[in-house]
Amino acid sequence: MEKITSLAKRRGFVFQSSEIYGGQNGAWDYGPLGIELKNRIANAWWKEMTQLHDDIVGLDAAILMHPRTWEASGHVENFTDPLVDCKKCKSRFRADQIPEENLAAKKCPDCGGELTDTRKFNLMFKTHIGPAEDTASIIYLRPETAQGIYVNYRNIIQSNRMKIPFGIAQIGKAFRNEIVTKNFIFRTCEFEQMEMQYFVKPGTDVVWFDEWRKRRWAYYEKLGVKMDHLRWHQHGPNELAHYAKDAYDIEYLFPMGWRELEGVHNRTDYDLGRHTQFSGKDLQYIDQDNNNERYIPYIIETSAGLTRNLLMILCDAYDEEQVASDKNSGSSEGTASGTAGSADDWRTVLRFHPNLAPVTVAVLPLMKKDGLAELAQDIRAELKEDYATDYDQAGAIGRRYRRQDEAGTPFCITVDYQSKEDGTVTLRFRDSMEQIRVPRAELASRLRQEIKTYKRVK
Ligand code: GAP
């Protein structure tokens, strides 16, 4: 994880928030490559959950919601972690994350000092809206995006004439006052979620729950993730959230071990039932195709962290490998595909799927002089409309390939002296480091084909 954190900073994926002031715990900033990667992960999820499903529509609800929302949802009462403090070293722990024997003996796992009694700590950030800081002005930063969907369920049925079963998808920020924020961006106080709530007829919920589990698994397969790094974990009775009848996590094998990536939850009619009770509004569905049968729908939820997905994609893509220098470098003899040096070398490479890579193609002139830079700029301008591109003319070609490998750029185009003569360029593949010559006129279609048929080999 240290290597990934350091690469992420060095290459502008993720920076510590407010670093010049010593950093802000639990908050991170996404740099130029990070925001591109985050957007692509979000777009892949959005396409999968909306464009590819006729029965799912999107929503972007406000972060600030009426405070009654969180009473109805059960978060005011139940969204707590058990907390203990060490009286000696002042460390703070989640009581459910320290060894049981320490908890029983009230002994700090770090220094052996005495621990306080366990107390409940609500994870919602609370603030005030308006000028008065009294109980009437309390407002929360949403701890999950789901509630914004539930309070709009009636609006969406009416405005879009949705019929059950149907879903509503949303991507947005969520906030939790997490006690322990470690492992880089894995658990943070400010993060993003990608959630989809699927409204079904009671009695069909188990079938839909299984169906969504299958679909979400297939999604990661399609994304090109190492499937032997994924597994299911069913929640036991002590793990189930207050709203859930059944829940499975998709776990990923992060460098610190197996951890939750996404949850699929059967939330029953809990949420719409509670919002009916607290708002006084009738949230029953009227089934016009079935004698106007009325019922409160059950909800199957798929809930993934966007920022946690980004960490997973970074970990999944990260690789270090030893390479023979003839594969690693280009030549100084006028073409990009010659050899240089003899000693074997190491490279760090991010093997992103081309659909997720922040930069799809980098254009590199072998030399700045003799019109090569202009030709390379011209090619880049042509590709820009369709692809995220980069241009780099600084340093030896081998070093430039390395920089692109580290950024996860799947394709490099090198313009050399031969390009001026016969109109061909070198297309270099990140994963195999293979180089082939392609006529300039065929570049766009060749790239399209390579992206479509991309298969990860390592
Ligand atoms: N609406 C249901 C819900 O929020 P959750 O299991 O608490 O369920 C869902 O969260 C997903 O959100 C998790 O699987 C994880 O990917 C992400 N997530 C939750 N808390 C997070 C945090 N503090 N930092 C980053 N991601 C988090």
Side-chain angles (χ1 to χ4, degrees), residues 79 143-146 150 176 178 185-193 195 197 235 243 249 260-263 265 267 301 303-309:
F79 198 53
E144 62 171 12
T145 60
Y150 306 146
R176 296 182 189 177
E178 299 282 0
I185 55 171
F186 177 79
R187 187 182 304 285
T188 51
C189 293
E190 177 176 344
F191 57 101
E192 280 175 76
Q193 288 187 314
E195 295 199 306
Q197 314 294 326
H235 283 209
Y243 49 72
D249 291 337
E260 175 184 346
L261 175 67
E262 159 160 3
H265 310 132
R267 297 182 68 131
E301 169 183 67
S303 176
L306 168 54
T307 40
R308 195 171 289 181
N309 256 260

Side-chain angles (χ1 to χ4, degrees), residues 332-383:
S332 51
E333 292 164 19
T335 71
S337 52
T339 59
S342 60
D344 284 353
D345 210 346
W346 284 85
R347 70 166 182 159
T348 300
V349 53
L350 291 177
R351 299 184 190 277
F352 294 135
H353 190 288
N355 286 335
L356 297 183
V359 176
T360 316
V361 52
V363 187
L364 321 169
L366 190 67
M367 303 280 173
K368 278 182 254 181
K369 56 186 187 185
D370 302 328
L372 297 187
E374 289 76 7
L375 185 54
Q377 287 281 20
D378 202 40
I379 291 173
R380 184 198 189 185
E382 212 172 274
L383 294 171

